Amino acid sequence: MKVIICGAGQVGWQIARHLSGERNDVTVVDNNPDLVHRATDSLDVQGITGHASYPDVLERAGAQDADMLIAATHSDEVNMVTCQVAHSIFTVPRKIARLRAQSYLAAVRSDLYRRDHLPIDVVISPEREVAEAALRRLRAPEAFDVEEFIEGRAQFIGLKLDADCPVLDTPLRQLTELFSTLRAVVVGVRRAGRGRLFAPEPRDQLQAGDQVYVLCNSEDLTRTQEIFGKKVRKQERVVIIGGGNVGLAVAEALEAAPERIRAKMIERNRKSAERAAEALERTIVLSGDGLDIELLREASIERADAVLTVTDDDKTNLLAAVRAKAAGCAKSIALINDPTLVPLMEPLQLDAYVNPRQTTVSSILRHVRHGRVRNVYSVGDSEAEVIEAQVMSTSPLAGRHIRDVAFPEGALVGAIGKEDGRVIRPEGGTRIEEGDVVVIFALSDDVPEVERLLQVQVDFF
């Protein structure tokens, strides 16, 4: 498939990395020559320097015979105009645009993005994606990474194992025997000191300091965390530091959630604080600096079950999370855009983070995959993917037992959704039927082989 990616920043580069690695014809467009050179030097892609919305630039990028255009520049307006030009002049069949401004997003419910108006097939909102990711972190506070699959009936969680974890030094196959009714599978492990993520084998044992990724039935989420040594407490009080688009979206979602959660918000900019106070009904909004210890005490930070720092500055988020933890807050979740800051989480004793780039990349991939792929989640620094797909009759998986399928070494089936609504733990003797929904963890190098097994190459036509 021929794909044009407009914008060679972090999101555009990661999408180009995924698609070029799967032998697609990828062209990257950006008006910053340094970013274009970085992409062409490190990836198997072509590069064009210029404004993505200019027709002559798109023509040089090969828009006349492109199958898809992904507009991920830093400007909403450039992304929208690029899609319009790609449609009107070059009739590019499928167009995906990243839009941030809430005014544009409110129009998603209207006819603005119809083909005879603004012809954008898929609109991606980073702020909304990040807000949803932050909410998932709040619902599983002991996990450093969380994603939902099979319509919320399965959970993918990341847990760091402490020295008192009761299942250390136990072969994974023995865990299955000890907890025979637990619908959970360890699909990935990052070992302390090694750093590299790998798919474990049944004989592998877990060690203190490991970061493990587990796929489990949502009904077993609490039990799974407890088995791995985590004490789960109900989230009743949350402090949100940052009242911008992300913080406001999180607060609105908390107010609409069935669980009764008391939220307080701290926003430094007075106008933004006033806007948030007008939009929210039950959330208390305080105007001031989230690093001010007196203001944190006014927000009862010492009684809060979690603090969520979502300002537009990574360093402020880290410092505010540290200060909140030092003041007695139980859990801290920080919004971090810069991946080089993530290693600071452990020495700063912070609990979890949300990466906007990671959530946006996952969202775009979800719409790029074809066939019966229903969800894709990018793990870590694009080290692996979790792919949810419905098994088609043409798939080599259909009608076969898991033990008889030649999965690559870096791929594991973590959950299977049946047509009757059950989510089961896969075992070697489990038979995969046509119509089943499988959730597969795959290291990045093994994703193309997994797609072959699913018969879902990136192809829309």
Side-chain angles (χ1 to χ4, degrees):
M1 185 172 68
K2 186 169 184 176
V3 183
I4 298 175
I5 300 173
C6 301
Q10 290 291 345
V11 169
W13 189 88
Q14 290 291 352
I15 294 297
R17 174 184 170 186
H18 278 271
L19 297 184
S20 65
E22 295 160 13
R23 299 183 294 278
N24 293 289
D25 183 357
V26 178
T27 301
V28 174
V29 180
D30 201 290
N31 61 2
N32 185 330
D34 293 336
L35 293 179
V36 173
H37 289 151
R38 184 188 70 152
T40 55
D41 289 346
S42 58
L43 304 172
D44 183 17
V45 301
Q46 300 177 65
I48 300 293
T49 300
H51 291 276
S53 58
Y54 289 4
D56 62 314
V57 173
L58 288 180
E59 184 175 21
R60 284 193 288 132
Q64 59 271 15
D65 58 353
D67 300 308
M68 178 184 295
L69 179 140
I70 300 171
T73 75
H74 293 296
S75 168
D76 287 358
E77 290 73 21
V78 169
N79 291 340
M80 290 190 290
V81 172
T82 300
C83 289
Q84 181 70 70
V85 172
H87 173 79
S88 301
I89 299 179
F90 302 105
T91 63
V92 177
R94 189 164 177 83
K95 298 158 290 292
I96 298 175
R98 178 177 66 174
L99 302 181
R100 286 194 172 94
Q102 299 302 302
S103 295
Y104 292 136
L105 296 170
V108 171
R109 305 185 192 93
S110 69
D111 293 333
L112 178 60
Y113 301 108
R114 280 186 354 204
R115 284 183 172 265
D116 53 345
H117 292 164
L118 272 175
I120 302 174
D121 299 294
V122 178
V123 173
I124 304 295
S125 164
E127 281 77 11
R128 290 185 178 178
E129 297 290 338
V130 169
E132 291 174 6
L135 285 172
R136 288 193 292 271
R137 300 292 191 280
L138 289 173
R139 292 187 179 117
E142 297 301 326
F144 64 81
D145 201 355
V146 185
E147 179 64 23
E148 294 182 346
F149 290 92
I150 316 182
E151 298 176 339
R153 299 198 302 273
Q155 301 283 333
F156 175 76
I157 60 174
L159 299 170
K160 183 175 180 181
L161 304 186
D162 300 321
D164 59 353
C165 173
V167 295
L168 297 182
D169 304 320
T170 304
L172 293 179
R173 99 163 39 84
Q174 192 172 336
L175 289 183
T176 302
E177 299 169 359
L178 289 172
F179 307 101
S180 58
T181 61
L182 182 70
R183 293 163 294 182
V185 177
V186 177
V187 293
V189 178
R190 182 181 286 106
R191 183 133 293 160
R194 290 170 57 183
R196 183 179 60 86
L197 183 65
F198 65 94
E201 297 182 2
R203 66 175 181 273
D204 286 335
Q205 301 179 16
L206 301 179
Q207 300 176 8
D210 282 353
Q211 293 181 346
V212 300
Y213 291 94
V214 184
L215 265 161
C216 70
N217 189 301
S218 295
E219 295 176 353
D220 293 344
L221 178 59
T222 298
R223 186 181 172 210
T224 299
Q225 294 178 83
E226 290 173 344
I227 285 173
F228 286 96
K230 304 298 181 181
K231 296 180 180 179
V232 182
R233 56 185 288 177
K234 186 178 180 182
Q235 303 295 289
E236 297 179 337
R237 298 179 178 86
V238 175
V239 175
I240 303 169
I241 298 179
N245 290 335
V246 174
L248 184 57
V250 171
E252 288 175 335
L254 289 177
E255 289 191 347
E259 314 92 32
R260 187 72 175 182
I261 299 177
R262 304 176 195 173
K264 294 182 180 179
M265 176 185 289
I266 299 175
E267 166 55 40
R268 185 171 187 172
N269 183 282
R270 189 164 187 84
K271 288 186 177 179
S272 296
E274 291 174 351
R275 182 190 67 151
E278 291 175 1
L280 299 169
E281 296 179 3
R282 300 193 307 272
T283 304
I284 298 173
V285 180
L286 305 175
S287 179
D289 190 348
L291 291 171
D292 184 343
I293 189 63
E294 294 302 325
L295 192 58
L296 288 172
R297 287 171 180 157
E298 185 179 343
S300 303
I301 194 68
E302 71 282 355
R303 298 171 57 201
D305 297 305
V307 62
L308 181 63
T309 59
V310 289
T311 75
D312 57 4
D313 183 80
D314 285 356
K315 294 174 184 176
T316 298
N317 292 337
L318 286 171
L319 290 173
V322 169
R323 175 147 283 189
K325 284 274 286 190
C329 184
K331 293 291 175 183
S332 58
I333 304 169
L335 178 68
I336 301 177
N337 291 275
D338 184 355
T340 64
L341 296 177
V342 173
L344 294 175
M345 295 288 294
E346 185 171 354
L348 292 176
Q349 297 184 339
L350 303 182
D351 300 295
Y353 71 96
V354 178
N355 185 334
R357 181 195 67 182
Q358 181 181 5
T359 57
T360 303
V361 167
S362 295
S363 183
I364 291 175
L365 286 175
R366 191 177 305 138
H367 295 286
V368 168
R369 306 291 187 202
H370 189 47
R372 295 296 178 89
V373 167
R374 310 188 334 171
N375 197 357
V376 176
Y377 184 63
S378 178
V379 181
D381 189 18
S382 297
E383 301 159 277
E385 289 183 19
V386 185
I387 303 171
E388 173 189 333
Q390 190 167 30
V391 177
M392 304 167 67
S393 60
T394 56
S395 168
L397 299 179
R400 300 181 66 186
H401 296 96
I402 289 179
R403 67 165 66 97
D404 297 328
V405 179
F407 286 104
E409 289 186 6
L412 287 173
V413 181
I416 299 177
K418 295 300 211 179
E419 291 185 333
D420 60 7
R422 292 178 298 131
V423 175
I424 65 173
R425 178 181 64 189
E427 298 177 354
T430 302
R431 180 184 173 92
I432 300 176
E433 305 287 354
E434 177 188 352
D436 285 353
V437 176
V438 294
V439 184
I440 301 176
F441 171 91
L443 298 177
S444 56
D445 290 343
D446 294 314
V447 168
E449 177 62 16
V450 170
E451 287 195 321
R452 187 195 67 78
L453 291 172
L454 294 169
Q455 294 287 305
V456 287
Q457 287 294 329
V458 185
D459 180 10
F460 283 84
F461 314 101

